[in-house]
């Protein structure tokens, strides 16, 4: 059974996953469990803000491409670019071909290598291209895509923090939240997010309801593949891996929403 998010959980989710002015008052495992369980709510707030930015530009006469760029930029701004940085660092670690300890050391470096740069470029291009296409379909479809992708990205974080997924390092945010969410709770949150996406899509039609739910499920499925590969490769998760699975889920959701 899914409980109502606690104030400490909401503070943890918004305070660690966004730049919204929310003070995190507790850093213990219980607060982390509640926070990561309601991470999709932080994603919902990010997605609504991103959609609002895109719709405002369209209202002011901008084209769909510029609206798509703004919609993709807002989540980066609201996360201080941490998820994109995590995606780049994880790509460098995976692409290095080195043993886990050396790969983790590469990921901690402040610079970005060629694998990271290429991954960032193609991920952002895919996001902008997909958003431009859905905005071309209608403003409402664009707004829905922004919200669904941002929420799916944070749902991927909930699943990555589930019981049984170890931390690769004994310190850092990855270690603080690794394994805190019970598997049953993670599954329940996934069902709620998918159903909510379907409900939002239903306002645009039955086909959009199915596609929105499918976008969420495909997003977390692809993110799960990356997560498992990272666990095998690095011995567990890190803060960078969390960022990578979030961006992977967001990009996958957007791609699914423009197919068919």
């Amino acid at each position: 059974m899914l409980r109502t998010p606690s104030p400490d959980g909401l503070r943890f989710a918004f305070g660690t996953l966004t730049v919204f002015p929310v003070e995190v008052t507790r850093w213990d495992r219980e607060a982390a469990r509640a926070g990561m369980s309601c991470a999709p709510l932080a994603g919902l707030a990010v997605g609504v803000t991103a959609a609002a930015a895109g719709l405002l530009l369209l209202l002011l006469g901008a084209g769909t491409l510029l609206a798509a760029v703004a919609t993709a930029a807002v989540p980066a701004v609201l996360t201080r670019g941490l998820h994109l940085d995590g995606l780049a660092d994880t790509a460098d670690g995976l692409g290095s071909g080195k043993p886990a300890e050396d790969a983790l050391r590469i990921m901690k470096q402040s610079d970005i290598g060629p694998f990271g740069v290429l991954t960032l470029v193609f991920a952002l291009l895919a996001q902008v291209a997909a958003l431009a296409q859905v905005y071309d379909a209608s403003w409402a479809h664009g707004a829905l895509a922004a919200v669904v992708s941002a929420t799916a990205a944070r749902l991927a974080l909930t699943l990555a923090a589930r019981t049984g997924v170890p931390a690769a390092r004994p310190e850092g945010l990855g270690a603080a939240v690794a394994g805190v969410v019970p598997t049953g709770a993670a599954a329940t949150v996934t069902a709620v997010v998918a159903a909510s996406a379907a409900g939002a899509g239903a306002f645009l039609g039955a086909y959009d309801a199915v596609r929105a739910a499918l976008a969420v499920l495909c997003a977390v499925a692809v993110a799960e593949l990356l997560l498992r590969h990272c666990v095998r490769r690095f011995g567990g998760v890190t803060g960078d891996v969390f960022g990578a699975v979030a961006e992977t889920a967001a990009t996958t959701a957007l791609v699914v929403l423009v197919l068919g």
Side-chain angles (χ1 to χ4, degrees), residues 14-82:
F14 279 84
T16 58
L17 301 178
T18 74
V19 297
F20 292 123
V22 178
E23 181 183 3
V24 180
T25 55
R26 289 177 55 186
W27 284 94
D28 55 84
R29 299 284 284 182
E30 183 179 349
R33 180 181 303 110
M36 296 309 291
S37 295
C38 62
L41 291 177
L44 176 63
V46 170
V48 169
T49 306
L55 293 177
L56 177 60
L57 282 174
L58 290 172
L59 185 63
L60 294 175
T64 55
L65 180 57
L66 184 57
V69 171
T71 302
V74 166
V77 172
L78 293 181
T79 58
R80 301 184 185 90
L82 290 179

Coordinates of all heavy atoms in Angstrom, one line a residue, residues 14-82:
F14 N 12.5 17.1 -2.9 CA 12.7 18.4 -3.6 C 14.0 19.0 -3.2 O 14.6 19.7 -4.1 CB 11.5 19.3 -3.2 CG 10.3 19.0 -3.9 CD1 9.4 18.0 -3.5 CD2 10.0 19.8 -5.1 CE1 8.2 17.8 -4.2 CE2 8.8 19.5 -5.8 CZ 7.9 18.5 -5.4
G15 N 14.5 18.8 -2.0 CA 15.8 19.4 -1.6 C 17.0 18.8 -2.2 O 18.0 19.5 -2.4
T16 N 16.9 17.6 -2.6 CA 18.1 16.9 -3.2 C 18.0 16.8 -4.7 O 19.0 16.7 -5.4 CB 18.3 15.5 -2.6 OG1 17.1 14.7 -2.8 CG2 18.6 15.6 -1.1
L17 N 16.8 16.7 -5.2 CA 16.6 16.5 -6.7 C 16.3 17.7 -7.5 O 16.2 17.7 -8.7 CB 15.5 15.4 -6.9 CG 15.7 14.1 -6.2 CD1 14.5 13.2 -6.5 CD2 17.0 13.5 -6.7
T18 N 16.0 18.9 -6.8 CA 15.7 20.1 -7.5 C 16.4 21.3 -6.8 O 17.0 21.1 -5.7 CB 14.2 20.4 -7.5 OG1 13.8 20.8 -6.2 CG2 13.4 19.1 -7.9
V19 N 16.3 22.4 -7.5 CA 16.8 23.7 -6.9 C 15.7 24.5 -6.2 O 16.0 25.6 -5.7 CB 17.5 24.6 -7.9 CG1 18.7 23.9 -8.5 CG2 16.6 25.0 -9.0
F20 N 14.5 23.9 -6.1 CA 13.5 24.6 -5.4 C 13.9 24.9 -4.0 O 14.5 24.0 -3.4 CB 12.2 23.8 -5.4 CG 11.6 23.7 -6.8 CD1 11.3 22.4 -7.4 CD2 11.2 24.8 -7.5 CE1 10.8 22.3 -8.6 CE2 10.6 24.7 -8.8 CZ 10.4 23.4 -9.4
P21 N 13.6 26.0 -3.4 CA 14.0 26.4 -2.1 C 13.4 25.6 -1.0 O 12.5 26.1 -0.2 CB 13.7 27.9 -2.0 CG 12.5 28.1 -2.9 CD 12.7 27.1 -4.0
V22 N 13.8 24.3 -0.9 CA 13.2 23.4 0.2 C 14.4 23.0 1.0 O 15.4 22.4 0.5 CB 12.5 22.2 -0.5 CG1 12.0 21.3 0.6 CG2 11.4 22.7 -1.3
E23 N 14.3 23.2 2.3 CA 15.4 22.8 3.2 C 15.2 21.3 3.6 O 14.1 20.9 4.0 CB 15.3 23.6 4.5 CG 16.4 23.3 5.5 CD 16.4 24.1 6.8 OE1 15.4 24.9 6.9 OE2 17.2 23.9 7.6
V24 N 16.3 20.5 3.5 CA 16.3 19.1 3.9 C 16.6 19.1 5.4 O 17.7 19.5 5.8 CB 17.3 18.3 3.1 CG1 17.3 16.8 3.6 CG2 17.0 18.4 1.6
T25 N 15.7 18.6 6.2 CA 15.9 18.7 7.7 C 16.4 17.3 8.2 O 16.9 17.3 9.3 CB 14.6 19.0 8.4 OG1 13.5 18.1 7.9 CG2 14.1 20.5 8.0
R26 N 16.2 16.3 7.4 CA 16.7 14.9 7.9 C 17.4 14.2 6.7 O 17.0 14.2 5.6 CB 15.5 14.1 8.3 CG 14.9 14.5 9.6 CD 13.6 13.6 9.9 NE 14.0 12.2 10.0 CZ 13.1 11.3 10.1 NH1 11.8 11.6 10.2 NH2 13.4 10.0 10.2
W27 N 18.6 13.6 7.1 CA 19.4 12.9 6.1 C 19.5 11.4 6.4 O 20.3 10.7 5.9 CB 20.8 13.5 6.0 CG 20.8 14.8 5.3 CD1 20.7 16.0 5.8 CD2 20.9 15.0 3.9 NE1 20.8 17.0 4.8 CE2 20.9 16.4 3.6 CE3 21.1 14.1 2.8 CZ2 21.0 16.9 2.4 CZ3 21.1 14.6 1.5 CH2 21.1 16.0 1.3
D28 N 18.7 10.9 7.3 CA 18.8 9.5 7.7 C 18.1 8.6 6.7 O 17.5 9.1 5.7 CB 18.1 9.3 9.1 CG 16.7 9.8 9.1 OD1 15.8 9.1 8.7 OD2 16.5 11.0 9.5
R29 N 18.3 7.3 6.9 CA 17.8 6.4 5.9 C 16.2 6.4 5.7 O 15.7 6.2 4.7 CB 18.2 5.0 6.2 CG 19.7 4.8 6.3 CD 20.3 4.7 4.9 NE 20.1 3.4 4.3 CZ 20.6 3.0 3.1 NH1 21.3 3.9 2.4 NH2 20.3 1.9 2.5
E30 N 15.5 6.7 6.8 CA 14.1 6.7 6.8 C 13.6 7.9 5.9 O 12.7 7.8 5.1 CB 13.5 6.9 8.2 CG 12.0 6.9 8.2 CD 11.4 7.0 9.6 OE1 12.2 6.9 10.6 OE2 10.2 7.2 9.8
A31 N 14.3 9.1 6.1 CA 13.9 10.2 5.2 C 14.3 10.0 3.8 O 13.6 10.3 2.9 CB 14.6 11.5 5.8
A32 N 15.4 9.3 3.6 CA 15.8 9.0 2.2 C 14.9 8.0 1.6 O 14.5 8.1 0.4 CB 17.2 8.3 2.2
R33 N 14.4 7.0 2.3 CA 13.4 6.1 1.8 C 12.1 6.8 1.4 O 11.6 6.6 0.3 CB 13.0 5.0 2.9 CG 12.0 4.0 2.4 CD 11.7 3.0 3.5 NE 12.9 2.4 4.0 CZ 13.5 2.6 5.2 NH1 12.9 3.4 6.1 NH2 14.6 1.9 5.5
A34 N 11.6 7.7 2.2 CA 10.4 8.4 1.9 C 10.7 9.4 0.7 O 9.8 9.5 -0.2 CB 9.9 9.2 3.1
G35 N 11.9 10.0 0.7 CA 12.2 11.0 -0.3 C 12.3 10.3 -1.7 O 11.7 10.8 -2.7
M36 N 13.0 9.2 -1.8 CA 13.2 8.5 -3.1 C 11.9 7.9 -3.5 O 11.6 7.7 -4.7 CB 14.3 7.5 -3.0 CG 15.7 8.1 -2.7 SD 16.1 9.5 -3.8 CE 16.3 8.6 -5.4
S37 N 11.0 7.5 -2.6 CA 9.7 6.9 -3.0 C 8.8 8.0 -3.6 O 8.0 7.6 -4.5 CB 9.0 6.4 -1.7 OG 9.7 5.3 -1.2
C38 N 8.9 9.2 -3.2 CA 8.1 10.3 -3.8 C 8.9 11.2 -4.8 O 8.5 12.3 -5.1 CB 7.4 11.1 -2.7 SG 8.5 12.0 -1.6
A39 N 10.0 10.7 -5.3 CA 10.8 11.4 -6.3 C 10.0 11.8 -7.5 O 10.2 12.9 -8.1 CB 12.1 10.6 -6.7
P40 N 9.1 10.9 -8.0 CA 8.3 11.3 -9.1 C 7.5 12.6 -8.9 O 7.2 13.3 -9.9 CB 7.3 10.1 -9.4 CG 8.1 9.0 -8.8 CD 8.8 9.5 -7.6
L41 N 7.1 13.0 -7.7 CA 6.4 14.2 -7.4 C 7.4 15.4 -7.7 O 6.9 16.4 -8.2 CB 6.0 14.3 -5.9 CG 4.8 13.3 -5.6 CD1 4.5 13.4 -4.1 CD2 3.6 13.6 -6.4
A42 N 8.6 15.3 -7.4 CA 9.6 16.3 -7.7 C 9.7 16.4 -9.3 O 9.8 17.5 -9.8 CB 11.0 16.0 -7.1
G43 N 9.7 15.2 -9.9 CA 9.7 15.2 -11.4 C 8.5 15.9 -12.0 O 8.5 16.6 -13.0
L44 N 7.3 15.7 -11.3 CA 6.1 16.3 -11.8 C 6.2 17.8 -11.8 O 5.8 18.5 -12.7 CB 4.9 15.9 -10.9 CG 3.6 16.5 -11.2 CD1 3.1 16.2 -12.6 CD2 2.5 16.0 -10.2
A45 N 6.8 18.3 -10.7 CA 7.0 19.8 -10.5 C 7.9 20.3 -11.6 O 7.7 21.4 -12.2 CB 7.5 20.1 -9.1
V46 N 9.0 19.6 -11.8 CA 10.0 20.0 -12.9 C 9.3 19.9 -14.2 O 9.5 20.9 -15.1 CB 11.2 19.0 -12.8 CG1 12.1 19.2 -14.1 CG2 12.0 19.2 -11.6
G47 N 8.5 18.9 -14.5 CA 7.9 18.8 -15.8 C 6.9 19.9 -16.1 O 6.8 20.4 -17.2
V48 N 6.1 20.2 -15.1 CA 5.1 21.3 -15.2 C 5.8 22.6 -15.5 O 5.4 23.4 -16.3 CB 4.2 21.4 -13.9 CG1 3.4 22.6 -14.0 CG2 3.3 20.1 -13.8
T49 N 6.9 22.9 -14.8 CA 7.6 24.1 -15.0 C 8.2 24.1 -16.4 O 8.2 25.2 -17.1 CB 8.8 24.2 -14.0 OG1 8.2 24.1 -12.7 CG2 9.5 25.6 -14.1
A50 N 8.8 23.0 -16.9 CA 9.3 22.9 -18.2 C 8.2 23.1 -19.3 O 8.5 23.8 -20.3 CB 10.0 21.5 -18.4
A51 N 7.1 22.5 -19.1 CA 6.0 22.7 -20.0 C 5.5 24.1 -20.0 O 5.2 24.7 -21.1 CB 4.8 21.8 -19.6
A52 N 5.5 24.8 -18.9 CA 5.1 26.2 -18.8 C 6.0 27.1 -19.6 O 5.6 28.0 -20.3 CB 5.0 26.6 -17.3
A53 N 7.3 26.8 -19.5 CA 8.3 27.6 -20.3 C 8.1 27.4 -21.8 O 8.1 28.4 -22.5 CB 9.7 27.2 -19.9
G54 N 7.9 26.2 -22.2 CA 7.7 26.0 -23.6 C 6.4 26.6 -24.1 O 6.4 27.2 -25.2
L55 N 5.3 26.5 -23.4 CA 4.0 27.0 -23.8 C 4.1 28.6 -23.8 O 3.4 29.2 -24.6 CB 2.9 26.5 -22.8 CG 2.6 25.0 -22.9 CD1 1.5 24.7 -21.9 CD2 2.2 24.6 -24.3
L56 N 4.8 29.1 -22.8 CA 4.9 30.6 -22.8 C 5.6 31.1 -24.1 O 5.2 32.1 -24.7 CB 5.7 31.0 -21.6 CG 6.0 32.5 -21.4 CD1 4.6 33.3 -21.4 CD2 6.8 32.8 -20.2
L57 N 6.7 30.4 -24.5 CA 7.3 30.9 -25.7 C 6.4 30.7 -26.9 O 6.4 31.6 -27.8 CB 8.6 30.0 -25.9 CG 9.8 30.5 -25.0 CD1 11.0 29.5 -25.2 CD2 10.3 31.9 -25.4
L58 N 5.7 29.6 -27.0 CA 4.8 29.5 -28.1 C 3.7 30.5 -28.1 O 3.3 31.1 -29.1 CB 4.1 28.1 -28.0 CG 5.0 26.9 -28.3 CD1 4.3 25.6 -28.0 CD2 5.5 26.9 -29.7
L59 N 3.2 30.9 -26.9 CA 2.2 31.9 -26.8 C 2.7 33.3 -27.2 O 2.0 34.1 -27.8 CB 1.7 32.0 -25.3 CG 0.6 33.0 -25.0 CD1 -0.7 32.5 -25.8 CD2 0.3 33.0 -23.5
L60 N 4.0 33.5 -27.0 CA 4.7 34.8 -27.4 C 5.1 34.8 -28.9 O 5.6 35.8 -29.4 CB 5.9 35.0 -26.5 CG 5.6 35.3 -25.1 CD1 6.9 35.4 -24.3 CD2 4.7 36.6 -24.9
G61 N 4.8 33.7 -29.6 CA 5.1 33.7 -31.0 C 6.3 32.9 -31.5 O 6.7 32.9 -32.6
A62 N 7.0 32.2 -30.5 CA 8.2 31.5 -30.9 C 7.8 30.2 -31.6 O 6.7 29.7 -31.6 CB 9.0 31.1 -29.6
G63 N 8.8 29.7 -32.3 CA 8.5 28.4 -33.0 C 8.7 27.2 -32.1 O 9.1 27.3 -31.0
T64 N 8.3 26.1 -32.6 CA 8.3 24.9 -31.8 C 9.7 24.4 -31.4 O 9.9 23.8 -30.4 CB 7.6 23.7 -32.5 OG1 8.1 23.5 -33.8 CG2 6.1 24.0 -32.7
L65 N 10.7 24.7 -32.3 CA 12.0 24.3 -32.0 C 12.6 25.1 -30.8 O 13.2 24.5 -29.9 CB 13.0 24.5 -33.2 CG 14.4 24.2 -33.0 CD1 14.6 22.7 -32.6 CD2 15.2 24.4 -34.3
L66 N 12.3 26.4 -30.8 CA 12.8 27.2 -29.6 C 12.0 26.8 -28.3 O 12.6 26.7 -27.3 CB 12.6 28.7 -29.9 CG 13.1 29.6 -28.8 CD1 14.6 29.4 -28.5 CD2 12.8 31.1 -29.2
A67 N 10.8 26.5 -28.5 CA 10.0 26.0 -27.3 C 10.5 24.7 -26.8 O 10.6 24.4 -25.6 CB 8.5 25.8 -27.7
A68 N 11.0 23.8 -27.7 CA 11.5 22.5 -27.4 C 12.9 22.7 -26.6 O 13.1 22.0 -25.6 CB 11.7 21.6 -28.6
V69 N 13.7 23.6 -27.1 CA 15.0 23.9 -26.4 C 14.7 24.4 -25.0 O 15.4 23.9 -24.1 CB 15.8 24.9 -27.2 CG1 17.0 25.4 -26.4 CG2 16.2 24.4 -28.6
A70 N 13.8 25.3 -24.8 CA 13.5 25.8 -23.5 C 13.0 24.7 -22.6 O 13.3 24.6 -21.4 CB 12.4 26.9 -23.6
T71 N 12.1 23.9 -23.1 CA 11.5 22.8 -22.3 C 12.6 21.8 -21.9 O 12.5 21.2 -20.8 CB 10.4 22.0 -23.2 OG1 9.4 23.0 -23.6 CG2 9.8 20.9 -22.3
A72 N 13.6 21.5 -22.8 CA 14.7 20.6 -22.4 C 15.7 21.3 -21.4 O 16.3 20.6 -20.6 CB 15.4 20.2 -23.7
A73 N 15.8 22.6 -21.5 CA 16.7 23.4 -20.7 C 16.2 23.5 -19.2 O 17.1 23.5 -18.3 CB 17.0 24.7 -21.3
V74 N 14.9 23.6 -19.1 CA 14.4 23.9 -17.7 C 14.8 22.7 -16.7 O 15.2 23.0 -15.6 CB 12.9 24.1 -17.7 CG1 12.3 24.0 -16.3 CG2 12.6 25.5 -18.3
P75 N 14.6 21.4 -17.1 CA 15.0 20.4 -16.1 C 16.5 20.5 -15.8 O 16.9 20.2 -14.7 CB 14.7 19.1 -16.9 CG 13.6 19.5 -17.8 CD 13.9 20.9 -18.3
A76 N 17.3 20.8 -16.8 CA 18.8 21.0 -16.5 C 19.0 22.1 -15.5 O 19.8 21.9 -14.5 CB 19.5 21.3 -17.8
V77 N 18.3 23.2 -15.6 CA 18.5 24.3 -14.7 C 18.0 23.9 -13.3 O 18.6 24.2 -12.3 CB 17.7 25.5 -15.2 CG1 17.7 26.7 -14.2 CG2 18.4 26.1 -16.5
L78 N 16.8 23.3 -13.3 CA 16.2 22.9 -12.0 C 16.9 21.8 -11.2 O 16.6 21.5 -10.1 CB 14.7 22.6 -12.2 CG 13.8 23.7 -12.6 CD1 12.4 23.2 -12.8 CD2 13.9 24.9 -11.7
T79 N 17.9 21.2 -11.9 CA 18.7 20.1 -11.2 C 20.2 20.5 -11.2 O 21.0 19.7 -10.9 CB 18.6 18.8 -12.0 OG1 19.0 18.9 -13.3 CG2 17.1 18.3 -11.9
R80 N 20.4 21.8 -11.5 CA 21.8 22.3 -11.5 C 22.7 21.5 -12.5 O 23.9 21.4 -12.4 CB 22.5 22.2 -10.1 CG 21.8 23.0 -9.0 CD 22.6 23.0 -7.7 NE 21.9 23.7 -6.6 CZ 21.0 23.0 -5.8 NH1 20.8 21.8 -6.0 NH2 20.4 23.7 -4.9
G81 N 22.0 20.9 -13.5 CA 22.8 20.1 -14.4 C 23.4 18.8 -13.9 O 24.1 18.1 -14.6
L82 N 23.0 18.4 -12.7 CA 23.6 17.2 -12.1 C 23.3 15.9 -12.8 O 24.1 15.0 -12.9 CB 23.2 17.1 -10.6 CG 23.7 18.2 -9.7 CD1 23.2 18.0 -8.2 CD2 25.2 18.2 -9.6

